[in-house]
Amino acid sequence: MIKATSCGGVVIFRGKILLLYKNYKNRYDGWVLPKGTVEAGEEYKETALREVHEETGVKASAIKYVGKSQYTFNTAHDVVVKQVHWYLMMADSYYSKPQKEEYFEDSGYYKYHEAYHLLRFPNERQILEDAYQQYIELKKAGLWGNKKYF
């Protein structure tokens, strides 16, 4: 068994959530949240911001830690147990450009209920639900978009 750690973001701009569409050699396809592997010496928040930027071209600000999810998958030689640390993030525009080298074919911002139903994996839907609730609370408190907050 191999343990792996990734970090990602629930990126919001004007109430809409950023998603990526991945199609890997027609064996894997679906909408996902941006995330990627922690590099040596990196803090989790740094990884999340870097991966969001690499996979989507989006410059985002990390607002707060949301939580973690875990899943397992098989490779040809082993079972991988992956833990993903998630951050609520704010983008500065609707711009996004999917990273073709990672088999992302599309990206875009979607309303909460659309994003929730588009996401392929239940653990990402749960993270989206948690992050969006925190976004709503920050917005109600007048803290979303307030540079003093982060």
Side-chain angles (χ1 to χ4, degrees):
M1 182 172 61
I2 299 169
K3 291 187 176 188
T5 305
S6 287
C7 299
V10 176
V11 182
I12 298 178
F13 183 72
R14 293 189 180 162
K16 293 187 177 180
I17 295 104
L18 177 63
L19 299 183
L20 286 161
Y21 186 81
K22 188 168 193 165
N23 185 352
Y24 179 69
K25 300 180 180 178
N26 295 318
R27 288 191 307 224
Y28 169 95
D29 68 306
W31 289 94
V32 295
L33 295 168
K35 66 181 175 301
T37 305
V38 177
E39 292 181 356
E42 250 183 348
E43 297 289 326
Y44 289 164
K45 184 162 52 170
E46 290 174 307
T47 300
L49 290 166
R50 177 182 54 77
E51 286 292 342
V52 164
H53 187 253
E54 286 176 5
E55 292 184 350
T56 68
V58 171
K59 291 272 190 193
S61 303
I63 305 301
K64 66 187 297 191
Y65 182 75
V66 175
K68 61 186 172 185
S69 60
Q70 185 172 301
Y71 60 95
T72 59
F73 60 93
N74 297 314
T75 65
H77 308 288
D78 217 330
V79 175
V80 177
V81 177
K82 182 167 272 198
Q83 194 172 73
V84 185
H85 295 271
W86 296 98
Y87 291 84
L88 174 59
M89 297 183 180
M90 182 173 59
D92 58 4
S93 75
Y94 277 123
Y95 171 84
S96 69
K97 182 182 178 190
Q99 185 183 26
K100 303 293 187 194
E101 301 81 13
E102 292 288 331
Y103 308 100
F104 293 117
E105 293 183 350
D106 197 6
S107 64
Y109 288 85
Y110 295 87
K111 292 178 182 174
Y112 172 77
H113 69 278
E114 295 169 329
Y116 185 87
H117 292 290
L118 282 172
L119 283 173
R120 177 181 170 134
F121 300 110
N123 60 349
E124 289 194 5
R125 285 195 292 273
Q126 182 62 57
I127 289 295
L128 172 60
E129 199 173 326
D130 296 347
Y132 198 76
Q133 186 59 46
Q134 292 180 42
Y135 158 73
I136 294 298
E137 289 169 14
L138 288 169
K139 199 166 165 67
K140 280 182 185 172
L143 296 171
W144 185 260
N146 182 344
K147 296 287 185 190
K148 292 179 189 164
Y149 180 74
F150 54 90

